[in-house]
Structure formats: C-alpha cells, structure tokens
Amino acid sequence: MAAGAAPRPRVTADQLRKRRSRSLKEEVIRLSLLGSALVSVFVSVGIVSVLLGEALPFFGEVSVSEFVTGTTWTPLLEPRHFGVLPLVGGTLLVAAIAALLAVPVGSLAALYLSEYASPRVRRRLKPTLEILAGVPTVVYGTFALAVVTPTLQAILPDVRVFNALSAGIVVGIMILPMVASLSDDALRAVPQSLRNAGYGVGATKREISLGIVYPAAFSGVISSYLLAISRAIGETMIVAMAAGSTPRLTLNPLESIQTMTGYIVQVSLGDTPAGSIEFQSIFAVGLGLFLMTLAMNLLSQKIMARFRETYS
Amino acid sequence: MTASDRFRADSGRRHRRERTFRRLALSATWFGVVMLGILIVGILKDGVGQLSLDFLDNFPSRKPEQAGFKAAIWGSVWAVSFTGVFSVPLGIGAAIYLEEYAHKGRLVRILELLIANLAGVPSILYGMLGLIAFVRMFGLETTTILGIEVPFGRSVLAGSATLTLLILPVIIIASREALRAVPDSLRQAAYGIGATRWQCVRHHVLPAAIPGMLTGVVLALSRALGETAPLIMIGALTYVAFVPETPYDLFTAMPIQIFNWASRPQLEFHHLAATGCIVLLVVLLGMNGLAVWLRNRAESRKA
C-alpha cells in the first residue's frame, strides 16, 4: 500500500445511504405488520362500542331492571314490553337440549376415539366427524325443517311446525364434533402412565376410561363443553329457521319459542329505521348475548389454562 | 359364597359392562357420521330434482319453477373474493408480527387474549358491527374519500369488510401455527449471513410457511362462504336479479337465498332451498378438498 494514500473507507457513502433506506424500509414494514396486528384491538373495541352505543339510548327508555327481570317481550306490539327473560329462556332451552345431546354423545365418542379406536380408525373417523363442523348453519336449518321436524311430528303429534326441540337437536348435532374433537385432545393428553397404573391393578378398559382418564382430563373436557354451549347460545340460523318467533317463557320443547339471536334476525329482516326503539333493542339483546358468550369463553380458557399446567 | 366365587361372579359382570360400554362408545362415534349421512340424503332427496343448468343460470323469481341461483352464486363469488383480498394480508401480517417481530410481552398477551375471544364471538354480532361501522359508517353523510364512496351501504364492499373481521382470528391463529412450524435453524442461517428481519421473513420463513397458511386461509374463506347471519344483519338483499359489477353494487349470497327460500310457505320453495344447499355443499367440498391437497403437499415437501 502506497504511503500517504487515504485508507479505503470500510463503508462508502453510497452504501451508507442504501443501508439507511434499508432500515427505513424495515421500519415501514414493521409498522404495517404492527398495524395488521392491532386490527384485532379495533375490532374488539368496535364490537363493544357499537353494542353499547346503541344499547345505552335503549336503556334510557327502558330501565335495566325492567329489561333484565321482565317476563313479557312484545317489542313490536302495543302495549310494548321489553322483558328479555322469554328470549333468554328460549336461548337457554335450545342450548340445554343441544347440550343434552352433544355432551354425552360427544364425550362417549371422544372416549372411543382416544381409548378404543386403532390409529387407523381414528384417522378416518375424526376428520369425518369434523366435516359436520364445516356444514353451514343455513344447511342445518334447512335440514331441521325438511327432515328433523317432520320426523318428530310423526313420533309426537303435539310438535309444532316451529319448535325448540327440533332446533335444539340440530344445534346439538352441529356442536357434537366440537365436543368430541376437543375432548379427544384433552383425553389424549393424559399421560400413559396413569392408564398403566390402572391396568396394573387389573382394571378393565371401561374402568380406566371412566375412573382414571376422564377424571384426569376433566378440566380440559369441561372447557370443551363450555365452548360448545357458548357456540350453541350464539347460534343464529338454525334457531331463526326452526325454533319459531314466539317469545315465550316455557320449558315445553314442543312449542314455538324465540331466542335472542332469533329476535335480532327477525327485526333486521323487517324495515326498522335506525334510531327507533326496536332498532336499539336488538343491540341491547346483542349486548346480553355478547356478555353471556364472553363469560363462558373466558371461563373455558381459564379452566383450560389450569389443565395445561397440570400436565406440562 | 366364598370370596373367590364372589370374584368370579363380579368378574363376569365387569366384562359384560366392558363390552356394553365399548359398544355404546362406538355407536356414539358413529352417531355423528350417521347424522351427516342423513343430512346429505335428506337434502339430496328434496333438492336434486330441481338441479339443472337453468337453476344455476336463472335469477330469483316469484315463480318457483323459474327461480334460480345465479345472482346468489355470483354474489358469493364477489363477496368471498374481496374477503380474501382484505383478510389474507391483514391476517398473515398480524401473524408475522406476533411470531417474528413482537417481544413476548404485555402487548402480545393482550393481543392473544383478544384474538382468542374474538374467535368465540357469535357471528351475528359481527353483523351488527358491520351494519353500524361499514353500511352506515356511524351515520356519516355520503361522500367520497380517496376515490372510495363512503358509507359503503348494503354493498359487496360492506359484506366483504364484515366477513373479513369475522374470519380474521381464524386466519391469524392458523398462520401463527404455520410460522411456528418453521424450524428456527432457518432463521438463524438467514441472520448469520446478515439478513435483516424482513429479508429473513420474506425469503426464508414465509416460503416455508405459505403452504400451511394457505390451508388455513382456504378453510377460513369456506367459513365466510357459508356464513348467513352477518350478511342478514348488514341487509344483503334476497331479491337481487343481477350480478354485481362493481364492489358498490347490492348483492345477495348463496346462504341468504337459501334462507329466503326456506322461510317461504310454499313447499316448492323449500325444495329450491335444498337445491341451493346442494350447490353450496359441493362448492364447500371442493374448497375443503383444496385445503387437504395443500396440506398434503406441504407435508410431503417437508418429508
């Protein structure tokens, strides 16, 4: 190297400029990715504020206590009554029928898949069951009207054209794969050593399944039940099509009822001007629906988190 | 009776119970499969008679023998295409941020909690959000911002925006799983030769994760295709006798048309609803097949 010549700079000015623009580009990309992640925050805030924004004026006209404890729901007829209990009752009746079907059948199916089925049978049966979860609810609704209700009417002559039983059964079929699939995951997470301990004392497979595996996976199983029931509470099309539109506080599943979601659909199919009390009432009902499903989902996540801790 | 007699009697009973339980559990598993079969047969029996090219090519009509599915099919194609255009970059972007960029701190915990809970919000509530935020834009006067007409009204755009918010959590969760499945060695190799974070993601992580992400995207879009309640809320119309030509056009969709036919009193329309269900199920079956194919291809590449 000749003496006196300036040392070659490690980084030329040109390269520096390129590097700065590269880091600017990096920053822009990072910010736009952050932006996409923050959409979830806006959606959450949006749902809550839309429900509150329309429900608060409603609660200016109808007191909260009248809404929550009232037993008559006649929002479209004079004299108007805004007691939400008939809608809540209808929702819970349908969800209870669905749970009565999906919880025992789904749990037994989960026990079969995790404890009895060979890997080959499992690989075929589980995806087939999961197809049920992908069937659009409007198809289930058509199925309820075209197949389930006429079948029920042939067995029980008292069944109305629109009834809670038919809707509940079909909602139960819809949430069945959810119970089976999530419970199966929970059951399979139980360590093999617990089963082996059962075989060691001479227990049969049924005794191990029901006495050891199911109790050991109980919190995971319970959280699958809660998620499925929350789905049943929020289900809209099946109940709007098959359960009827008669708000009624009843335990008789053969009668026509109306659920919270069913009412929201009924009002939005009509020409209800924004700002009217009927329009606002669907947001009050929606707020109730949101709080019910959110509570069940949070509870389910909490139980699930405790279950994960046990076996990790 | 001696102890061993009691044991023998007991043992017989226990094994009978074992057999009964096994049969019970097996039939519970088959219950779902049988119900799926009954559903398909029931829908086919009612609907297959009306299935014809005319059905696919006619607009809805008050006369059942002339009513068709054309507006609904094209409305669904428009709505789901735009949903894909909006939701894929947003969902994958959010997943990349959460997996590749964010520090595991409070922000990530909050976002995870929100995403998990948004996935459990009933779809009809997304419809209520869409009605206020997109159709009416909180009562905004009609104007044009950056060449986009707002509020969206009951247009394809409002429907797609609503469906986007609905399926966003599904896409984010599936894309995060796909990103997590990419081995860390790939990232370390990229950083080792001086790649920036984005270069590493763009050239190394994403190509490895894309097949898994696509599976999630296709499944999420097939959910968007079958959704009814949110579109009813935003007022997607049932009597639309045209195919949308711009994103601002009114539209109907396959599930809406099925719902409309099923709620009419005449039996002929009930049968048309079943025919619509057949078309919808065939399209969904195709999309599910595509998702399975993508997943298998991704797995065979890895191996």
Side-chain angles (χ1 to χ4, degrees):
Chain A
M1 200 189 285
R8 218 173 90 94
R10 291 232 182 87
V11 183
T12 64
D14 203 39
Q15 279 175 319
L16 252 186
R17 251 195 309 278
K18 212 183 247 170
R19 195 178 282 181
R20 200 171 307 137
S21 78
R22 199 165 84 170
S23 73
L24 182 71
K25 184 181 160 200
E26 286 286 317
E27 196 53 24
V28 168
I29 287 169
R30 194 187 73 86
L31 285 177
S32 51
L33 293 175
L34 174 64
S36 339
L38 291 181
V39 170
S40 299
V41 178
F42 299 133
V43 178
S44 311
V45 173
I47 289 177
V48 173
S49 58
V50 159
L51 290 175
L52 281 179
E54 297 288 331
L56 286 182
F58 173 83
F59 287 119
E61 305 261 329
V62 179
S63 75
V64 176
S65 70
E66 185 192 335
F67 181 71
V68 176
T69 60
T71 54
T72 319
W73 183 262
T74 52
L76 310 172
L77 302 166
E78 298 289 346
R80 297 183 178 201
H81 290 285
F82 291 97
V84 81
L85 285 183
L87 296 184
V88 174
T91 299
L92 294 180
L93 179 63
V94 170
I97 296 168
L100 276 178
L101 174 78
V103 165
V105 177
S107 308
L108 281 170
L111 281 168
Y112 185 83
L113 288 173
S114 84
E115 306 303 311
Y116 285 89
S118 68
R120 202 177 60 90
V121 171
R122 220 185 96 80
R123 259 203 317 277
R124 299 230 174 121
L125 272 180
K126 206 174 171 184
T128 315
L129 269 183
E130 281 167 355
I131 293 178
L132 274 178
V135 173
T137 53
V138 73
V139 175
Y140 276 119
T142 311
F143 172 63
L145 288 176
V147 179
V148 179
T149 303
T151 311
L152 288 176
Q153 282 175 320
I155 303 168
L156 300 162
D158 284 350
V159 173
R160 303 289 156 83
V161 176
F162 299 111
N163 65 83
L165 184 60
S166 172
I169 290 173
V170 176
V171 173
I173 294 171
M174 180 195 78
I175 62 173
L176 174 67
M178 200 169 168
V179 175
S181 184
L182 293 177
S183 298
D184 173 54
D185 293 341
L187 293 169
R188 280 160 54 85
V190 172
Q192 188 59 31
S193 57
L194 290 186
R195 294 185 185 88
N196 292 344
Y199 289 123
V201 296
T204 63
K205 207 154 198 165
R206 180 189 74 96
E207 289 160 343
I208 291 168
S209 302
L210 293 180
I212 298 175
V213 181
Y214 186 78
F218 196 55
S219 47
V221 169
I222 283 283
S223 88
S224 83
Y225 297 165
L226 286 173
L227 271 186
I229 293 170
S230 155
R231 178 69 64 84
I233 288 175
E235 167 44 38
T236 306
M237 294 322 295
I238 300 173
V239 293
M241 292 167 84
S245 49
T246 329
R248 188 185 340 230
L249 202 51
T250 177
L251 283 174
N252 181 357
L254 308 184
E255 282 188 86
S256 162
I257 51 122
Q258 187 166 40
T259 66
M260 300 167 87
T261 52
Y263 171 69
I264 298 174
V265 166
Q266 186 196 7
V267 169
S268 62
L269 285 174
D271 260 332
T272 319
S276 65
I277 189 141
E278 297 96 313
F279 183 78
Q280 289 163 349
S281 73
I282 64 174
F283 289 85
V285 173
L287 184 63
L289 183 67
F290 177 73
L291 293 177
M292 282 164 78
T293 50
L294 181 69
M296 298 197 70
N297 291 341
L298 285 175
L299 190 64
S300 156
Q301 284 163 25
K302 197 150 198 176
I303 295 174
M304 194 66 189
R306 233 176 49 197
F307 168 72
R308 284 227 179 93
E309 272 163 28
T310 322
Y311 292 113
S312 58
Chain B
M1 200 155 50
T2 66
S4 73
D5 284 344
R6 265 209 309 278
F7 177 78
R8 218 164 290 136
D10 204 34
S11 158
R13 199 167 62 226
R14 286 172 62 213
H15 282 96
R16 270 197 303 283
R17 278 189 186 164
E18 169 68 34
R19 276 198 302 278
T20 318
F21 180 73
R22 194 195 153 92
R23 267 187 222 124
L24 196 66
L26 179 64
S27 37
T29 316
W30 277 98
F31 176 81
V33 179
V34 169
M35 280 300 148
L36 182 65
I38 294 177
L39 185 148
I40 291 172
V41 169
I43 298 282
L44 279 178
K45 191 174 131 269
D46 274 10
V48 86
Q50 293 77 238
L51 196 60
S52 66
L53 284 179
D54 279 348
F55 177 77
L56 299 178
D57 205 43
N58 281 359
F59 287 114
S61 163
R62 286 175 215 298
K63 294 182 193 138
E65 63 278 9
Q66 288 173 14
F69 218 36
K70 186 175 188 180
I73 294 173
W74 285 102
S76 278
V77 169
W78 272 79
V80 172
S81 308
F82 275 91
T83 304
V85 170
F86 299 147
S87 62
V88 169
L90 277 180
I92 292 183
I96 293 176
Y97 185 81
L98 288 170
E99 285 301 315
E100 308 290 325
Y101 279 78
H103 302 287
K104 307 286 167 211
R106 190 189 286 171
L107 178 67
V108 172
R109 268 211 314 281
I110 292 174
L111 285 174
E112 278 175 345
L113 184 75
L114 289 179
I115 291 165
N117 281 299
L118 282 176
V121 169
S123 62
I124 192 167
L125 297 180
Y126 282 95
M128 300 176 98
L129 173 64
L131 175 65
I132 299 292
F134 300 131
V135 175
R136 294 169 28 78
M137 292 218 172
F138 307 96
L140 197 73
E141 294 289 322
T142 308
T143 45
T144 307
I145 299 171
L146 302 171
I148 300 170
E149 275 175 55
V150 293
F152 293 159
R154 303 174 163 193
S155 62
V156 171
L157 210 51
S160 308
T162 306
L163 291 175
T164 295
L165 301 188
L166 175 72
I167 64 169
L168 209 50
V170 186
I171 295 188
I172 296 176
I173 292 168
S175 303
R176 288 188 72 183
E177 266 170 34
L179 287 171
R180 244 177 265 154
V182 175
D184 242 0
S185 54
L186 222 62
R187 295 184 183 86
Q188 283 154 7
Y191 290 134
I193 55 168
T196 62
R197 200 170 276 248
W198 176 245
Q199 286 170 332
C200 165
V201 168
R202 168 74 188 78
H203 298 291
H204 303 276
V205 179
L206 266 186
I210 284 270
M213 287 177 168
L214 281 181
T215 310
V217 165
V218 173
L219 289 178
L221 287 179
S222 61
R223 166 139 187 237
L225 182 69
E227 274 294 342
T228 322
L231 296 183
I232 290 181
M233 288 312 298
I234 66 155
L237 296 174
T238 34
Y239 190 76
V240 173
F242 54 80
V243 170
E245 283 168 0
T246 76
Y248 303 106
D249 285 345
L250 299 174
F251 74 111
T252 186
M254 289 196 262
I256 301 272
Q257 186 66 62
I258 293 170
F259 172 61
N260 175 269
W261 280 333
S263 0
R264 295 198 191 183
Q266 303 91 323
L267 197 64
E268 292 86 351
F269 279 115
H270 291 187
H271 289 164
L272 280 178
T275 315
C277 287
I278 297 175
V279 176
L280 182 60
L281 285 175
V282 167
V283 176
L284 284 175
L285 201 66
M287 289 177 76
N288 274 286
L290 180 67
V292 170
W293 181 74
L294 284 168
R295 185 165 56 203
N296 289 345
R297 211 177 62 147
E299 272 166 13
S300 66
R301 257 199 205 166
K302 240 177 263 166

